[in-house]
Amino acid sequence: MTNNISVDLHLHTHFSDGVHAPETIMTMAAQAGVSTLAICDHDNLDGIAPARAAAVHLGIEVISGVELSSRWKSYEDLHILGYGFDPLCPELVAELAEFRAFRSRRNELIVERVNRRLATQKRAPLDFARVREAADGTLGRPHIARALIEKGYVRDTSEAFERYLIPCNVEKRFFPADQAIGLIHRAGGVAVLAHPPFITPDRPALERLLDALVAHGLDGLEAYNNGATRDDIDYLLTQARRRGLIATGGSDHHGFEGDESRIGWCRGALPIPQACAQELRAALARRAAG
């Protein structure tokens, strides 16, 4: 085990679209030298408790986390990270339960569309029950991709998306971004905009989006992220400081085939600094103090 040199505030498990169990992620994080982490599964909190149980023996701090699927005006699939909230908050738990019910039906519809396409190719269909069972948690499109790979219909995840999952997609449900921020706040947490480079390459447009979300209570910006170059990180840190936002960081590790992320690192080239956890703790302390 290496020295604890970094933090990682954006990790996924099999409770959303990741591959590994929370306990496995914790072991991997310890081996990577991570001292503080947050499981941020998509619209799901189930990975937090097992991660915290595993953390007891590993000496890692686990901050509650979630990644809410959001939208704002012309921006589709905007992701808002929530941190430090009460994972038993009744309102938050109820809202996410509705999301899971919708997602379950959505993925079943996607498999139905994929099977119609497979039928035209005279290929055997996917068994949705088996796909769901293999996911061993909240089912996502990467799990359907894995089933296509196992059937030998595609070589890898990228081909699965290109040939089947994108053309057979069913629109997701989203929180309006201001509602996502409010929901996180009411649960006692802070709200952070995830991986900004994936939202838009247009920096003036990103700045206008930031200003709009700050007006609705956005607390932070994921400056260290898996889509950011060193120049992007410097730019995002500047934008965060100008607006009084905290700067966080995470690898966005999923663990599926082709995932080039490295736990505890930003785009595999820069350790995510301890300052990210320190700023997050300070923001949570300010929120708790009212």
Side-chain angles (χ1 to χ4, degrees), residues 106-267:
R106 171 182 179 250
N107 284 301
E108 188 173 3
L109 290 171
I110 290 173
V111 170
E112 288 176 6
R113 291 185 178 186
V114 168
N115 284 339
R116 286 198 291 270
R117 177 164 288 217
L118 290 172
T120 66
Q121 300 167 351
K122 301 189 184 306
R123 287 176 159 174
L126 301 180
D127 183 335
F128 180 72
R130 292 188 63 181
V131 175
R132 183 172 53 193
E133 181 181 0
D136 193 26
T138 300
L139 176 63
R141 288 195 298 170
H143 300 108
I144 303 172
R146 200 184 316 159
L148 289 165
I149 295 168
E150 290 171 356
K151 283 279 193 178
Y153 297 157
V154 295
R155 294 184 300 273
D156 52 31
T157 300
S158 296
E159 185 180 359
F161 271 82
E162 181 180 347
R163 294 185 58 190
Y164 294 99
L165 293 170
I166 292 175
C168 298
N169 191 39
V170 174
E171 186 177 2
K172 292 174 66 176
R173 177 185 171 189
F174 300 95
F175 284 106
D178 56 339
Q179 293 183 21
I181 293 168
L183 180 61
I184 292 165
H185 285 174
R186 290 191 296 278
V190 300
V192 173
L193 184 64
H195 38 62
F198 292 151
I199 298 172
T200 176
D202 184 338
R203 287 185 173 182
L206 178 62
E207 291 168 26
R208 290 191 293 272
L209 172 63
L210 281 174
D211 289 337
L213 296 182
V214 167
H216 288 284
L218 184 72
D219 301 291
L221 190 60
E222 192 179 46
Y224 299 87
N225 62 82
N226 68 338
T229 63
R230 287 177 182 263
D231 176 67
D232 290 331
I233 293 170
D234 289 341
Y235 165 75
L236 293 170
L237 288 171
T238 298
Q239 297 307 312
R241 303 310 178 218
R242 287 178 178 173
R243 293 166 176 80
L245 300 173
I246 65 169
T248 69
S251 65
D252 200 8
H253 181 80
H254 288 73
F256 51 74
E257 183 179 354
D259 181 2
E260 297 179 353
S261 66
R262 180 180 175 188
I263 293 177
W265 291 69
C266 174
R267 211 175 185 179

